[in-house]
């Protein structure tokens, strides 16, 4: 329930009413004010104040001031007279409610009408502005047309006067007919005298004129435009040219240091069999990076050549790329189809290598299982020794972790 403020103070003169409403320690920024010619209302937090004035006031000339302690209304009376009381007296609760609703509706309607008048005035001003702009554009276009015509007249000069000079005299007409025959022109001039309108006089003349030869058509040729190749995807910049050249030189030196550079190969050397032999030679001389580079390029040329994956898995294990070794072994096993005695040795070696790589990656149980499966397929002394060592290491890990891997 709101608290109705009744401890307000008011005083009057013939043309003004001063009304002070206390805020009861509520900040003035939280006060909501509603005014109309005969109704005042304040709402601030839990407090509420309203007054149905005895007579109408002039809202446009009245002032409402908010202070830290009061809201002060300086109201201008419509008629200069003294009021018997501030509010209307002798009304029942229902009559007071109806009167308040009517006064609020009248104020809302007045504000709405004022707003609509502003909109209409704004639209009218906009329409007038558009019309003025159209008139201005029309005047500008007219001036432009006048300037064009004046410039055209100045450019032509006395062309019309010259036409009048070269025109035929009014007492004679000349009609010339031209016929072409074997690069010669014949003309017939018919001269009609003003005195002999029925019998025209004919005068024949012959004018020789050779026709110019027709020029030959131009030769058609297609031009091929080649752009300078660029290694970088970004646009070329002169400020970055030295930095880019330095980067390219370092990249070329790094590729050559591995022992394999595809641009150094001749076309006949870009053969997967040749690259496989080259990789084996690199591996023999412990140039493992060169071997990986050669095998990777060969796989790009022939991705279904299983021996390339088989060879590269071994080199990956030698350099410690165990995850890559697992991938190559799995790819090789997927290509050894169908399963037969011919590829039994290669399959057993791939499974054993994958087991070693898995164990090195920390998957102890999976690595040991792979080695056991490889030995079941084919006995291998190297894998058997590795399996024994891995099993002992697994037992030590279980002992250290109370039976947990």
């Amino acid at each position: 329930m709101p608290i109705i403020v009744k401890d307000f103070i008011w005083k009057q003169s013939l043309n003004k009413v001063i009304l002070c409403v206390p805020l009861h320690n509520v900040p003035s920024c939280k006060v909501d004010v509603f005014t109309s010619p005969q109704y005042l209302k304040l709402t601030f937090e839990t407090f509420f104040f309203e007054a149905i004035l005895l007579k109408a006031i002039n809202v446009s000339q009245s002032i409402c001031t908010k202070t830290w302690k009061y809201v002060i209304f300086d109201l201008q009376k419509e008629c200069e007279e003294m009021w018997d009381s501030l509010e209307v007296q002798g009304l029942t609760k229902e009559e007071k409610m109806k009167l308040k609703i009517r006064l609020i509706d009248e104020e809302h309607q007045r504000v709405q009408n004022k707003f609509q008048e502003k909109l209409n005035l704004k639209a009218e001003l906009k329409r007038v502005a558009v019309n003025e702009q159209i008139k201005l554009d029309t005047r500008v276009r007219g001036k432009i047309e006048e300037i064009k015509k004046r410039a055209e007249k100045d450019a032509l000069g006395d062309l019309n006067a010259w036409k009048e000079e070269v025109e035929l005299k009014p007492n004679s007409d000349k009609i010339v007919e031209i016929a072409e025959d074997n690069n010669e022109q014949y003309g017939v001039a018919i001269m009609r005298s003003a005195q002999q309108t029925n019998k025209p006089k004919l005068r024949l003349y012959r004018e020789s004129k050779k026709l110019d030869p027709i020029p030959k058509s131009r030769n058609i040729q297609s031009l091929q435009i080649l752009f300078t190749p660029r290694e970088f995807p970004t646009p070329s910049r002169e400020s970055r040219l030295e930095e880019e050249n330095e980067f390219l030189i370092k990249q070329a030196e790094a590729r050559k240091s591995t022992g394999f550079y595809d641009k150094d190969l001749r076309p006949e050397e870009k053969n997967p069999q040749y690259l496989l032999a080259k990789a084996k030679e690199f591996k023999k001389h412990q140039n493992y990076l060169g071997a990986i580079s050669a095998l990777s390029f060969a796989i790009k040329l022939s991705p279904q050549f299983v021996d390339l994956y088989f060879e590269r898995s071994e080199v990956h294990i030698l350099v410690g790329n165990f995850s890559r070794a697992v991938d190559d072994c799995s790819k090789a096993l997927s290509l050894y189809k169908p399963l037969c005695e011919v590829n039994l040795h290669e399959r057993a070696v791939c499974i054993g290598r994958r087991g070693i790589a898995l164990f090195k990656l920390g998957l102890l149980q999976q690595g040991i299982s792979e080695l056991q499966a490889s030995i079941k397929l084919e006995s291998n002394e190297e894998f058997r020794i590795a399996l024994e060592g891995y099993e002992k290491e697994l037992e030590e890990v279980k002992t250290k972790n109370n039976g947990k891997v």
Side-chain angles (χ1 to χ4, degrees):
M1 281 294 289
I3 300 174
I4 299 174
V5 178
K6 295 184 178 180
D7 55 343
F8 59 89
I9 302 171
W10 76 285
K11 57 183 179 178
Q12 64 173 328
S13 62
L14 286 175
N15 55 357
K16 283 191 176 183
V17 174
I18 307 299
L19 176 63
C20 295
V21 181
L23 296 180
H24 297 285
N25 298 324
V26 176
S28 60
C29 60
K30 296 184 178 181
V31 178
D32 184 19
V33 181
F34 177 82
T35 60
S36 71
Q38 202 174 348
Y39 178 71
L40 304 177
K41 184 178 73 172
L42 294 178
T43 55
F44 44 99
E45 290 187 355
T46 58
F47 296 93
F48 177 78
F49 168 78
E50 66 175 356
I52 301 176
L53 302 178
L54 182 65
K55 302 288 183 179
I57 61 172
N58 191 340
V59 177
S60 60
Q61 296 181 4
S62 300
I63 301 173
C64 175
T65 305
K66 295 180 182 179
T67 65
W68 65 276
K69 193 174 181 180
Y70 294 98
V71 175
I72 302 172
F73 290 97
D74 187 354
L75 307 177
Q76 182 70 32
K77 294 181 180 180
E78 287 284 355
C79 300
E80 294 184 0
E81 59 178 333
M82 298 297 293
W83 293 356
D84 297 335
S85 62
L86 178 65
E87 298 184 75
V88 177
Q89 303 294 330
L91 297 178
T92 62
K93 188 175 182 180
E94 293 180 357
E95 292 175 349
K96 189 176 181 180
M97 180 62 66
K98 290 180 180 179
L99 179 60
K100 181 174 70 174
I101 293 173
R102 181 175 63 80
L103 294 175
I104 293 173
D105 291 341
E106 289 178 355
E107 180 63 17
H108 286 171
Q109 187 64 33
R110 186 186 67 81
V111 173
Q112 187 175 0
N113 294 338
K114 187 176 180 180
F115 178 73
Q116 188 64 35
E117 289 177 0
K118 289 183 178 180
L119 290 180
N120 295 337
L121 179 60
K122 185 176 180 181
E124 181 65 21
L125 293 176
K126 186 175 181 180
R127 185 184 64 80
V128 172
V130 170
N131 292 335
E132 291 296 327
Q133 185 64 36
I134 292 173
K135 293 179 181 178
L136 179 60
D137 293 343
T138 303
R139 289 195 297 270
V140 171
R141 283 196 297 270
K143 290 181 179 179
I144 293 173
E145 291 297 330
E146 291 179 1
I147 294 172
K148 284 182 178 180
K149 290 180 180 179
R150 194 181 304 116
E152 182 180 0
K153 185 177 180 181
D154 294 340
L156 293 176
D158 297 333
L159 181 60
N160 295 329
W162 177 79
K163 285 183 179 180
E164 293 177 358
E165 291 179 1
V166 300
E167 282 181 355
L168 296 177
K169 295 180 180 180
N171 58 354
S172 64
D173 295 336
K174 293 184 179 180
I175 301 174
V176 179
E177 296 180 357
I178 298 174
E180 293 183 5
D181 184 17
N182 297 327
N183 296 333
E184 295 182 351
Q185 294 183 348
Y186 297 91
V188 178
I190 303 175
M191 302 180 63
R192 178 174 299 174
S193 176
Q195 292 81 6
Q196 299 176 355
T197 57
N198 296 328
K199 296 180 179 181
K201 294 182 179 180
L202 300 180
R203 181 165 59 88
L204 299 178
Y205 68 91
R206 178 175 179 176
E207 180 182 358
S208 299
K209 185 178 180 182
K210 295 183 179 180
L211 297 177
D212 295 334
I214 300 175
K216 296 181 179 180
S217 60
R218 296 180 180 178
N219 296 329
I220 299 175
Q221 185 177 2
S222 298
L223 297 178
Q224 185 178 6
I225 301 174
L226 300 178
F227 296 95
T228 305
R230 179 167 172 77
E231 299 290 337
F232 298 93
T234 56
S236 177
R237 293 184 180 178
E238 187 176 355
S239 60
R240 305 293 295 275
L241 184 60
E242 295 182 1
E243 184 179 350
E244 291 178 357
N245 291 335
E246 183 180 358
F247 176 78
L248 293 175
I249 292 171
K250 289 182 179 179
Q251 288 293 103
E253 292 176 354
R255 285 194 293 268
K256 289 183 178 180
S257 65
T258 61
F260 175 78
Y261 187 44
D262 60 333
K263 291 186 178 181
D264 292 338
L265 296 178
R266 297 187 300 273
E268 60 271 14
E269 292 177 337
K270 295 182 180 181
N271 188 327
Q273 291 287 357
Y274 169 82
L275 294 172
L276 179 60
K278 192 77 173 176
K280 290 180 179 179
E281 184 180 350
F282 287 153
K283 184 182 69 174
K284 182 179 179 181
H285 293 87
Q286 297 183 354
N287 187 359
Y288 300 129
L289 295 179
I292 292 174
S293 181
L295 291 169
S296 300
F297 183 67
I299 288 173
K300 289 182 180 179
L301 297 176
S302 181
Q304 300 299 320
F305 193 179
V306 67
D307 292 345
L308 300 174
Y309 296 100
F310 181 82
E311 194 68 26
R312 193 171 68 170
S313 64
E314 182 182 2
V315 183
H316 278 315
I317 289 178
L318 292 175
V319 298
N321 294 335
F322 300 114
S323 60
R324 299 288 181 86
V326 171
D327 295 338
D328 284 347
C329 291
S330 301
K331 182 64 177 179
L333 288 172
S334 66
L335 293 175
Y336 281 126
K337 299 290 179 65
L339 306 179
C340 57
E341 291 293 333
V342 177
N343 55 27
L344 177 63
H345 173 72
E346 288 78 6
R347 288 189 287 113
V349 172
C350 283
I351 294 173
R353 288 176 184 171
R354 187 166 64 179
I356 293 174
L358 289 173
F359 193 88
K360 293 293 184 180
L361 290 172
L363 303 174
L364 309 182
Q365 192 63 47
Q366 291 86 339
I368 291 174
S369 300
E370 290 287 293
L371 286 171
Q372 291 173 351
S374 175
I375 293 173
K376 285 182 181 180
L377 287 177
E378 185 183 48
S379 179
N380 188 309
E381 186 66 20
E382 180 184 357
F383 291 158
R384 186 181 62 78
I385 294 173
L387 178 61
E388 291 177 358
Y390 291 165
E391 287 178 346
K392 290 181 181 179
E393 188 174 346
L394 180 61
E395 290 297 330
E396 293 177 359
V397 172
K398 287 183 177 180
T399 304
K400 186 176 179 179
N401 297 332
N402 297 326
K404 295 181 180 180
V405 180

